[in-house]
Every structure is written in C-alpha cells, then in structure tokens.
Amino acid sequence: MNGESGEKSLERDVLDELGDDGLQQLAEVLGTDAAGAQGVVGNTVAALSGGLRERSEEGPEGAQEVQQAIDEAAQPPLQGVAAFGGLGGLASGGLLAGLLSRMSRPAANVIAKKTGLPAANVARGIELVIPVILAVLSKRAARKK
C-alpha cells in the first residue's frame, strides 16, 4: 500500500475480487448504481489504507500493531471472500480486521460527505468491503511467500 499507485492497484484488485455481482450487491446496499459503488470502493481503499499508514506513523506501538496485523493476514485461514460473512465475519479476520473495523466509522462519515450517500448506507457498504480487502491482502501476502 505505497502511495496512490498502490491504492489504485489495491482498488483494482478489490473490484476484481468483488466481481460484477458483488459490485451490484454493494450498489443495492448503498442505494446507488454500480459506478457509485465503484467510487465508494475507491474511497474506502484510500481511507483505510491511509488510516493504516497514519496508525503505523503514530510511533513504535502503532507501527508494531500494523505490522503484526499485516503479518497475521498473510497466514491461513484467510482464504477468499467465502471465509467472511459481512461484519460478523470480521471477528475471524484477526488484528487487521479489527484495525480496519475501527477505522470504518470515521471513513464512512468522510465518504458519505464526498458522495452524498447516507452515512448509514456507506457504513454498511464498508462492512461488506472490508472482508474483500482482507481477502485481497491475504492473497497478495501469500504470493510473496
């Protein structure tokens, strides 16, 4: 997740993982069309990756928390979207899921202001996107091993 090109690449991978059906389901939750849902995915990736970057820069404790979370995400059992069931599935996502979940409410408010969508809808949408982000990060980490 290095800078804007890393966010764009992550956004593309998340959109690919979601697929057309997942994007349409997200659009329904958000109360928008597929293009609006794609915009929310992009804003979510940017907000959450930025939040992780900020947390890692808060000092040694923050950096260690983010590194542990990313290392843990590289371990099995995080194998694809099927391993998660919305927010309920976040509990099984470990440290990274917890970090992303904590960042989701402030991110939802910012994204809602940017997009004009209701904050509650955006929050629900982010809850659906987080497991997909976790799956993508897990796959990326597994490829690096």
Side-chain angles (χ1 to χ4, degrees):
M1 286 186 294
N2 295 7
E4 198 161 317
S5 64
E7 288 172 8
K8 288 293 181 195
S9 173
L10 179 58
E11 176 185 346
R12 179 79 270 154
D13 288 351
V14 169
L15 289 168
D16 289 347
E17 184 81 15
L18 271 171
D20 291 338
D21 290 342
L23 194 60
Q24 188 56 46
Q25 289 174 350
L26 180 60
E28 290 171 16
V29 167
L30 293 168
T32 189
D33 59 10
Q38 188 170 342
V40 169
V41 169
N43 282 311
T44 299
V45 167
L48 295 180
S49 61
L52 286 174
R53 198 174 312 108
E54 287 173 18
R55 178 67 181 133
S56 70
E57 293 169 355
E58 289 176 359
E61 185 178 301
Q64 183 179 5
E65 181 181 26
V66 170
Q67 188 59 53
Q68 284 178 330
I70 291 170
D71 290 347
E72 182 184 274
Q75 302 299 314
L78 298 180
Q79 299 293 324
V81 178
F84 303 99
L87 186 58
L90 290 179
S92 65
L95 294 172
L96 187 56
L99 272 172
L100 295 177
S101 178
R102 285 196 317 255
M103 295 174 200
S104 69
R105 183 63 60 188
N109 293 329
V110 169
I111 294 167
K113 286 180 184 167
K114 279 185 181 178
T115 62
L117 295 169
N121 291 17
V122 174
R124 257 189 90 216
I126 290 174
E127 290 172 359
L128 297 174
V129 172
I130 287 174
V132 179
I133 292 171
L134 291 170
V136 168
L137 292 175
S138 176
K139 287 179 181 180
R140 285 178 167 192
R143 282 195 302 260
K144 289 182 182 178
K145 286 189 169 190

